[in-house]
């Protein structure tokens, strides 16, 4: 198992949103680059970055801080999500030193895009599936679809994705533990690695 700290960017700050709600935001730091330095000093080998502004606007917003983190820590594995909806954006992040990009909304709206990007950027594509009661949400979680998380995961596993980041929206940002059953069911249904996201707040969640 690998523990991956997450840094969520909003307006250039490190924040936490409860269940993705902008009006329920807590700011932890005004220095996201310093926060990355902190995690690296504690021994992390992989970092999960989320451009929340990008997720809501549909295009990257916090590239400058993300690129600085990559430059400061060239040996750190970095995965980035939020507003990644074109090959040009993916190529830009990879050229900046990011290792994996997370396709979320675009994967739901245009599933064939995932396969195309896996062929163009093999080994660098992660799919982000955000679920509420087992159904996929998109556009910064503003819209819940009638597509199940499990069915999309099974569709994408044959495309050559590196892994799936699965976030249970009902747990995210609540600091109340993970949705173990849903995460375990998803992991059993596909052959690609599952990264559990949302609600991890203490050692027993990891255990």
């Amino acid at each position: 198992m690998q523990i991956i700290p997450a840094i969520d960017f909003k307006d250039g700050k490190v924040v936490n949103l409860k269940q993705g709600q902008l009006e329920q935001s807590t700011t932890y730091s005004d220095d996201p680059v310093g926060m990355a330095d902190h995690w690296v000093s504690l021994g992390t080998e992989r970092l999960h970055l989320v451009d929340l502004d990008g997720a809501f606007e549909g295009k990257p917003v916090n590239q400058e801080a993300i690129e600085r983190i990559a430059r400061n820590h060239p040996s750190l594995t970095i995965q980035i999500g939020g507003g990644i909806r074109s090959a040009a954006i993916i190529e830009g992040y990879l050229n900046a030193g990011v290792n994996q990009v997370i396709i979320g909304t675009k994967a739901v709206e245009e599933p064939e895009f995932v396969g195309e990007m896996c062929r163009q950027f093999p080994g660098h594509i992660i799919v982000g599936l955000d679920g509420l009661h087992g159904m996929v949400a998109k556009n910064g979680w503003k819209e819940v679809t009638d597509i199940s998380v499990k069915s999309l995961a099974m569709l994408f596993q044959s495309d050559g994705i590196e892994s799936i980041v699965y976030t249970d929206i009902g747990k995210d940002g609540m600091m109340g533990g993970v949705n173990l059953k849903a995460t375990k069911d998803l992991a059993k249904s596909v052959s690609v690695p599952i990264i559990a996201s949302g609600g991890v707040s203490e050692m027993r969640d990891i255990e």
Side-chain angles (χ1 to χ4, degrees):
M1 169 177 276
Q2 190 172 29
I3 299 169
I4 309 172
I7 299 176
D8 291 2
F9 296 78
K10 180 80 177 70
D11 301 323
K13 300 176 181 179
V14 179
V15 305
N16 174 56
L17 303 185
K18 289 187 176 181
Q19 298 178 329
Q21 301 296 316
L22 283 173
E23 62 273 15
Q24 296 195 62
S25 174
T26 301
T27 299
Y28 290 114
S29 171
D30 294 331
D31 182 12
V33 177
M35 183 65 76
D37 295 342
H38 168 72
W39 284 119
V40 171
S41 74
L42 294 178
T44 189
E45 297 176 348
R46 185 165 178 163
L47 205 57
H48 176 85
L49 306 180
V50 182
D51 184 349
L52 291 172
D53 300 296
F56 286 105
E57 294 189 25
K59 60 183 180 180
V61 175
N62 292 284
Q63 304 104 305
E64 184 180 345
I66 293 161
E67 290 175 6
R68 281 177 61 200
I69 292 170
R71 284 198 305 271
N72 289 356
H73 304 287
S75 63
L76 180 68
T77 299
I78 299 173
Q79 57 191 53
I80 173 71
I84 297 174
R85 302 183 189 176
S86 74
I89 292 170
I90 294 171
E91 187 170 20
Y93 272 132
L94 295 179
N95 288 340
V98 171
N99 304 90
Q100 278 93 27
V101 295
I102 302 165
I103 303 174
T105 293
K106 185 83 169 180
V108 180
E109 295 179 341
E110 297 180 35
E112 66 277 6
F113 178 74
V114 173
E116 292 169 6
M117 294 304 98
C118 284
R119 288 187 290 275
Q120 194 166 340
F121 307 104
H124 296 289
I125 304 300
I126 296 174
V127 167
L129 296 179
D130 308 321
L132 186 63
H133 308 304
M135 310 309 285
V136 174
K138 63 178 184 174
N139 291 320
W141 300 352
K142 291 180 289 187
E143 240 181 287
V144 179
T145 71
D146 58 357
I147 307 166
S148 76
V149 170
K150 191 177 291 187
S151 66
L152 264 189
M154 294 174 72
L155 175 68
F156 293 134
Q157 70 173 336
S158 61
D159 283 330
I161 57 176
E162 195 265 350
S163 56
I164 292 171
V165 176
Y166 171 60
T167 305
D168 184 282
I169 295 171
K171 294 287 188 179
D172 191 67
M174 302 303 288
M175 307 294 283
V178 298
N179 187 335
L180 186 59
K181 182 182 185 305
T183 305
K184 188 168 68 173
D185 287 349
L186 181 61
K188 286 183 175 179
S189 68
V190 294
S191 58
V192 296
I194 300 297
I195 300 172
S197 171
V200 178
S201 59
E202 55 186 57
M203 282 299 296
R204 69 176 181 178
D205 297 327
I206 296 166
E207 289 163 356

